Amino acid sequence: MCGIVGLHLRDPELHPCLGRLLTSMLAGVAERGPDSAGVAVYGDRRRCPEGYAAVSLLDAPPDLPVPGALVTEAGDTTVVAAPLPVEELLAAVTGARVVGAGTEVTIYKGTGRPLDLARTYDLADARGWQGLAHTRMATESQVTAEGCHPFSVGPDQCLVHNGSFANHASIRRELVAAGVAFDSENDSEVGARFVAARLAAGEDLDKALRALCERFDGFYTLLVTSADGFAVVRDAIACKPAVIAETPRWVAMASEFRALAELPGIDDARIWEPEPERVYAWQW
Amino acid sequence: MTLRESATFDRPTIAAIQRAAETGVYDIRGWGAKRSVPHFDDLLFLGASLSRYPLEGYRERCGTDVVLGGRHATAPLHLDIPVTIAGMSFGSLSAQAKEALGRGASEMGTSTTTGDGGMTPEERGQSRTLVYQYLPSRYGMNRDHLHAADAIEVVLGQGAKPGGGGMLLGQKIGDRVAAMRTLPAGIDQRSACRHPDWTGPDDLAIKILELREITDWRPPVYVKIGATRAYYDVKLAVAAGADVVVVDGMQGGTAATQEVFIEHVGIPILAALPQAVQALRELGVHRTVQLVVSGGIRTGADVAKAMAMGADAVAIGTAALIALGDNAPRYAADYAALGSAAGFYDFQDGRDPAGITTQDPELAARLDPVEGGRRVANYLRVLTQEAQTLARACGKAHLRNLEPEDLVALTVEAAAMARVPLAGTTWIPGT
Ligand SMILES: Cc1cc2nc3c(=O)[nH]c(=O)nc-3n(C[C@H](O)[C@H](O)[C@H](O)COP(=O)(O)O)c2cc1C
């Protein structure tokens, strides 16, 4: 019901090509999610300069009171970067709907055809060391920019999900009882909040995703990224498609192989289908 | 001229008035409420379709195990299925019946429970996991049996008669039952309606600590309540230190109680369950302190619905007796001779032709504990498989992952009590 692609570039020589590679990957999963698409780009210094923090906002009010800010509009999304710590920038934009924040990541969400959106986000031009994209066919929530993945609920964290959780209402209740606030009714947000809580408690991606496997029922292929990690996990039945490819220059995952077919050196890559309930995590 | 029956003075009502006038004593009977009350039948599951995926019946796992009592006990119970056998006393049941329940429960990896009459060697011997009841009557209570128990259930009340004590009619008090209860044989017996050891939750906390000290904090301590002010009672049971709270709905079975009690006191399990869950959630202990519910559990659908509403496990009484062979048509002639009929026999009278709710040695010998155990195990197996069928249809790889959001209600009453939306709407009355 959705398409996922993700790319982590180990080789700095490839960093200028991130956007071009990601756009071709996105094209490979566009039909899987024709409603809407979201993108995350890590380490693009034109979008979030060194020493800056960036927040991605939906329906941002026209004049945000952030002095010295770099404001870019991309469809429904407005990215505000400023030479402030993340918390201060977040405090400065209270009232706006924040869909991502960090010192590395900029996030774009919107409804419409994925490749049109890629142009809106100027994706082809993006540089950086990591990126991911998600194309969505909504299940039990509305087609809105807010419902788009990635769900980014912790600093520089992203979660994209293909599938549907079967016990998310119960886990949401537990998290709410523990003081966690939610932005949407989306089941994937529950996954993102669960992982964020674990990471905030000091766990690494591997451990957090193992805990997720224990606790979450239903179907999922998840790609979870952070400022220092890239991880993939699937449910016990591994019902939703996924393929991972790895070379010394990059690690990539996608819902379908064709999204990986144009990556440089794909012919020599190690390519495999991730096993059920096994966490594949790269952390550095 | 057509005869018209009065709705207010219907035939059972008229018969009850006539019986009262003739005898001058109120009616005592077993079984549970016979009136119709909102129940799990008024709920339906939303199966998976396109937005969710169901699981395949025979290939894909749907777990059923449950751990009870891990809050404070060092030896919590690990049960293979979330259906347990409720406490039914030796006295109300024959030794053979108790043994058969133990055999059936053990075969399926679940627990059985003693009752208001102490622990018999037959049931201890045949029960892999035995919950020992500690009741207001304290019949048969002793330290050795506390040590022999896998869990201790402090009984504050029963759904059939919250606020009332147990009853056992003289015909069921044979020499062995009398000796275990230190009471004279053949005389009607009424157990205390309140516990002599505590007057409220403060003393109950002390009692529970005492039980823990005696048993070295090993077995879990349950607290069983009859469903009335379930929200407050559950909170108090947790405050008193319970590892597990058992809530028994008003339609729950009993061995013998005043008819007026059975039909007019307490609330149905459908109404009590959300209150209990709310109490546990507000205390932040839902799933840490487990919730076991009972009262009218008959099918795997009842099991699955109770769990979806937030119970960790269920307990069965009446249904287990029926599985054993109670009210079987093959004893139709015997039931008729007692002035009853197969399907209507109420347990209290002591001359149970099926050999289950009796202390008559000849009648009791009719029940083969091995065969009875096999029947109970079969029934538990079907309950479990039915619950799994529904859980898989809702895309759950474990029964515990069922949630209230999987349910809708058929009637406004059930929607309001169960706190799930009326089918086809998003409306939950009262919210
Ligand atoms: C024959 C019989 C004897 C019972 N004896 C006891 C008892 O000794 N102690 C107790 O706590 N509950 C007793 N109960 C109540 C059960 O533990 C349980 O709460 C009830 O049967 C559940 O409802 P159900 O019969 O609809 O399954 C008894 C029930 C029956 C049918």
Side-chain angles (χ1 to χ4, degrees):
Chain A
M1 285 177 287
C2 298
I4 299 177
V5 295
L7 180 63
H8 173 73
L9 297 174
R10 292 166 155 161
D11 180 354
E13 276 182 23
L14 287 174
H15 291 183
C17 316
L18 176 71
R20 186 174 53 77
L21 297 173
L22 209 53
T23 307
S24 89
M25 292 174 80
L26 176 67
V29 295
E31 288 91 348
R32 297 188 63 86
D35 289 346
S36 54
V39 162
V41 173
Y42 284 81
D44 187 330
R45 291 299 164 214
R46 291 166 311 166
R47 295 169 197 241
C48 179
E50 199 72 50
Y52 276 52
V55 290
S56 301
L57 309 172
L58 291 179
D59 306 331
D63 25 60
L64 281 163
V66 187
L70 208 71
V71 180
T72 33
E73 311 232 349
D76 295 332
T77 310
T78 304
V79 175
V80 180
L84 295 170
V86 180
E87 304 74 45
E88 279 181 36
L89 180 55
L90 280 171
V93 298
T94 41
R97 285 185 294 165
V98 177
V99 294
T103 55
E104 293 289 333
V105 77
T106 48
I107 287 171
Y108 304 86
K109 298 186 178 195
T111 58
R113 287 188 305 178
L115 287 176
D116 294 344
L117 289 167
R119 271 187 291 281
T120 307
Y121 307 152
D122 203 8
L123 182 60
D125 193 41
R127 304 172 184 183
W129 50 269
Q130 180 165 280
L132 55 85
H134 181 271
T135 60
R136 175 159 190 252
M137 190 185 287
T139 52
E140 290 179 18
S141 47
Q142 302 301 316
V143 180
T144 58
E146 266 172 331
C148 279
H149 302 221
F151 281 92
S152 175
V153 301
D156 290 314
Q157 288 164 25
C158 287
L159 175 143
V160 289
H161 175 200
N162 179 16
S164 69
F165 293 127
N167 61 339
H168 57 94
S170 301
I171 300 169
R172 174 187 293 258
R173 257 190 298 275
E174 286 169 23
L175 290 170
V176 168
V180 175
F182 279 79
D183 294 333
S184 74
E185 290 303 309
N186 194 295
D187 62 328
S188 307
E189 186 184 349
V190 183
R193 299 270 172 203
F194 180 90
V195 172
R198 297 279 172 158
L199 295 181
E203 290 184 5
D204 62 11
L205 278 178
D206 183 64
K207 194 145 183 236
L209 290 180
R210 279 169 205 254
L212 180 141
C213 286
E214 290 254 304
R215 197 63 193 82
F216 280 71
D217 204 342
F219 293 96
Y220 49 90
T221 287
L222 297 172
L223 170 64
V224 182
T225 55
S226 67
D228 61 358
F230 182 97
V232 176
V233 69
R234 299 168 87 192
D235 63 77
I237 293 170
C239 141
K240 287 293 167 186
V243 53
I244 301 181
E246 185 175 15
T247 73
R249 302 182 73 199
W250 47 261
V251 181
M253 81 78 65
S255 298
E256 294 179 37
F257 174 76
R258 63 178 181 154
L260 305 176
E262 284 169 36
L263 289 175
I266 187 73
D267 292 341
D268 300 319
R270 189 164 81 87
I271 300 173
W272 74 97
E273 191 190 338
E275 301 278 327
E277 285 194 317
R278 181 161 160 205
V279 178
Y280 298 83
W282 289 263
Q283 202 122 24
W284 49 89
Chain B
M1 196 188 77
T2 23
L3 299 178
R4 181 169 175 194
E5 182 172 359
S6 164
T8 308
F9 289 89
D10 60 3
R11 271 169 281 183
T13 307
I14 292 172
I17 295 171
Q18 290 164 340
R19 201 203 56 79
E22 258 160 52
T23 62
V25 293
Y26 50 65
D27 196 15
I28 294 176
R29 66 170 176 85
W31 202 268
K34 294 192 174 180
R35 63 155 79 197
S36 164
V37 296
H39 198 30
F40 294 120
D41 288 339
D42 301 317
L43 304 181
L44 296 172
F45 277 107
L46 298 173
S49 161
L50 248 182
S51 69
R52 305 219 184 171
Y53 316 78
L55 295 181
E56 206 63 74
Y58 295 95
R59 275 190 294 126
E60 290 167 355
R61 187 175 60 96
C62 177
T64 61
D65 61 307
V66 60
V67 178
L68 299 175
R71 183 190 185 197
H72 295 306
T74 57
L77 305 187
H78 292 257
L79 305 183
D80 295 339
I81 61 170
V83 186
T84 63
I85 307 290
M88 292 181 278
S89 67
F90 167 65
S92 76
L93 301 189
S94 64
Q96 286 86 335
K98 290 299 280 176
E99 177 182 340
L101 292 173
R103 286 178 179 274
S106 300
E107 183 177 333
M108 289 305 292
T110 188
S111 62
T112 183
T113 312
T114 63
D116 196 10
M119 187 189 286
T120 66
E122 290 94 329
E123 73 177 330
R124 175 61 281 186
Q126 295 305 332
S127 304
R128 193 185 80 176
T129 307
L130 183 60
V131 183
Y132 180 53
Q133 286 197 331
Y134 185 74
L135 300 106
S137 71
R138 294 188 293 202
Y139 291 144
M141 222 307 281
N142 71 63
R143 197 172 168 276
D144 294 339
H145 287 166
L146 280 174
H147 282 152
D150 299 302
I152 298 164
E153 181 169 294
V154 178
V155 179
L156 271 75
Q158 242 178 276
K161 47 184 170 187
M167 279 193 159
L168 196 64
L169 300 190
Q171 53 267 42
K172 281 194 181 175
I173 311 201
D175 291 339
R176 184 175 174 196
V177 172
M180 279 177 69
R181 301 185 186 211
T182 51
L183 283 174
I187 294 176
D188 288 359
Q189 163 259 291
R190 281 149 204 272
S191 315
C193 69
R194 53 172 196 258
H195 213 288
D197 295 3
W198 63 80
T199 58
D202 38 7
D203 314 330
L204 176 59
I206 298 169
K207 189 79 216 171
I208 288 177
L209 272 179
E210 189 184 316
L211 292 169
R212 296 218 193 255
E213 271 180 25
I214 294 171
T215 54
D216 206 16
W217 294 78
R218 183 186 50 82
V221 176
Y222 299 17
V223 170
K224 175 175 178 175
I225 57 172
T228 56
R229 296 176 183 86
Y231 170 75
Y232 293 108
D233 285 346
V234 168
K235 283 203 162 176
L236 292 172
V238 172
D243 294 311
V244 175
V245 181
V246 182
V247 179
D248 191 24
M250 66 83 72
Q251 65 271 66
T254 175
T257 300
Q258 296 91 327
E259 150 99 7
V260 70
F261 225 137
I262 297 179
E263 297 288 357
H264 297 281
V265 186
I267 64 173
I269 195 62
L270 195 72
L273 217 169
Q275 288 194 15
V277 171
Q278 184 191 343
L280 294 172
R281 280 207 190 112
E282 285 178 9
L283 294 172
V285 296
H286 185 223
R287 308 281 181 219
T288 314
V289 170
Q290 286 76 33
L291 176 65
V292 178
V293 301
S294 56
I297 302 285
R298 307 146 301 172
T299 63
D302 293 342
V303 177
K305 289 170 186 175
M307 293 187 72
M309 286 176 67
D312 294 277
V314 303
I316 57 169
T318 304
L321 301 187
I322 296 170
L324 270 181
D326 178 77
N327 274 298
R330 68 183 166 125
Y331 293 120
D334 303 71
Y335 287 118
L338 296 172
S340 184
F344 295 83
Y345 183 71
D346 290 330
F347 312 146
Q348 77 281 2
D349 128 312
R351 290 171 291 166
D352 183 358
I356 296 163
T357 57
T358 183
Q359 294 300 319
D360 179 309
E362 273 173 39
L363 291 173
R366 289 184 176 184
L367 181 72
D368 172 5
V370 176
E371 168 61 10
R374 190 188 65 81
R375 294 180 60 92
V376 170
N378 272 345
Y379 174 61
L380 290 171
R381 192 171 290 121
V382 170
L383 286 184
T384 307
Q385 288 172 350
E386 285 178 343
Q388 285 174 300
T389 300
L390 295 172
R392 284 199 180 96
C394 295
K396 316 286 176 169
H398 201 289
L399 292 183
R400 69 165 160 261
N401 292 337
L402 287 163
E403 26 184 39
E405 286 75 5
D406 295 315
L407 293 170
V408 294
L410 280 170
T411 66
V412 176
E413 287 82 357
M417 289 186 194
R419 304 183 193 171
V420 302
L422 189 65
T425 76
T426 53
W427 180 51
I428 303 178
T431 58

